[in-house]
Amino acid sequence: MEIWKDINGYEGIYQISNTGRLKSLKRLFIRKNNINPYNKEEIILKLQNNGKGYLFIRLSKNSKHKYYYIHRLVALHFIDNPSNKPAVNHKDGNKSNNNVNNLEWVTNSENQIHALETGLLIPKGAVGIKNTKSKLTDNDILIIREKSLEGIRGTDIAKIFNVCKTTISGIKNNKTWKHIK
């Protein structure tokens, strides 16, 4: 069941739900110059993506605007934080899943450990298969270098391994995957 709560500091203007939805409440809207006030209807607001998967919104009050991440709003309004932990973690690793059941308060250290364990964060200096984002294996690299020596074009090799031509070029010229000989 979806539960709505007024957002602290924006009571009577905006509400957040335990599922991560946000709405602007019905109210009389008065412009800065006090001319032509009008009734603003209640609407569910469209959330924006910051390009890294996190959803955020810009809230306005008295002609002042402030940006908020949705996961933090949900946590602040629906999850107790008796230890006063500073970060909010997405348990499933999906930064757009802001349902209260998917969020928890954590320390910055706990957040980093979770990101490493789930593959959301690549350890510094991780190369080859230790880099969780890698599409290729050590054996793939040996095959790519072998095919290059056979005179097969980089474009054709890239299609075989479903990577871009630049990746193949870096492997052929020992600019990447240098640790594989």
Side-chain angles (χ1 to χ4, degrees), residues 21-61:
R21 295 196 315 153
L22 199 122
K23 66 181 172 182
S24 175
L25 299 174
K26 182 178 181 175
R27 63 190 183 278
L28 181 64
F29 188 78
I30 302 171
R31 293 188 172 93
K32 225 178 189 179
N33 58 11
N34 268 348
I35 299 173
N36 297 329
Y38 65 94
N39 283 320
K40 197 169 187 176
E41 295 300 315
E42 178 176 298
I43 59 166
I44 301 294
L45 298 174
K46 185 176 179 187
L47 306 176
Q48 298 176 344
N49 188 311
N50 75 346
K52 295 181 179 179
Y54 292 102
L55 300 177
F56 71 95
I57 193 75
R58 182 181 86 162
L59 300 183
S60 302
K61 180 179 172 185

Side-chain angles (χ1 to χ4, degrees), residues 106-124:
V106 293
T107 64
N108 290 327
S109 176
E110 290 169 334
N111 206 20
Q112 292 293 309
I113 291 167
H114 179 263
L116 284 167
E117 289 174 349
T118 58
L120 295 171
L121 181 67
I122 300 166
K124 196 170 189 170

Side-chain angles (χ1 to χ4, degrees), residues 52-129:
K52 295 181 179 179
Y54 292 102
L55 300 177
F56 71 95
I57 193 75
R58 182 181 86 162
L59 300 183
S60 302
K61 180 179 172 185
N62 300 327
S63 300
K64 293 185 180 160
H65 313 291
K66 193 168 178 186
Y67 291 88
Y68 295 90
Y69 282 109
I70 301 304
H71 63 285
R72 289 201 59 85
L73 287 174
V74 172
L76 285 166
H77 292 85
F78 292 96
I79 304 173
D80 289 334
N81 188 7
S83 300
N84 201 26
K85 294 184 176 184
V88 179
N89 182 47
H90 291 85
K91 295 176 189 177
D92 69 357
N94 178 355
K95 299 169 190 171
S96 297
N97 179 359
N98 295 309
N99 189 296
V100 69
N101 297 325
N102 187 48
L103 304 175
E104 63 184 345
W105 287 105
V106 293
T107 64
N108 290 327
S109 176
E110 290 169 334
N111 206 20
Q112 292 293 309
I113 291 167
H114 179 263
L116 284 167
E117 289 174 349
T118 58
L120 295 171
L121 181 67
I122 300 166
K124 196 170 189 170
V127 294
I129 58 173

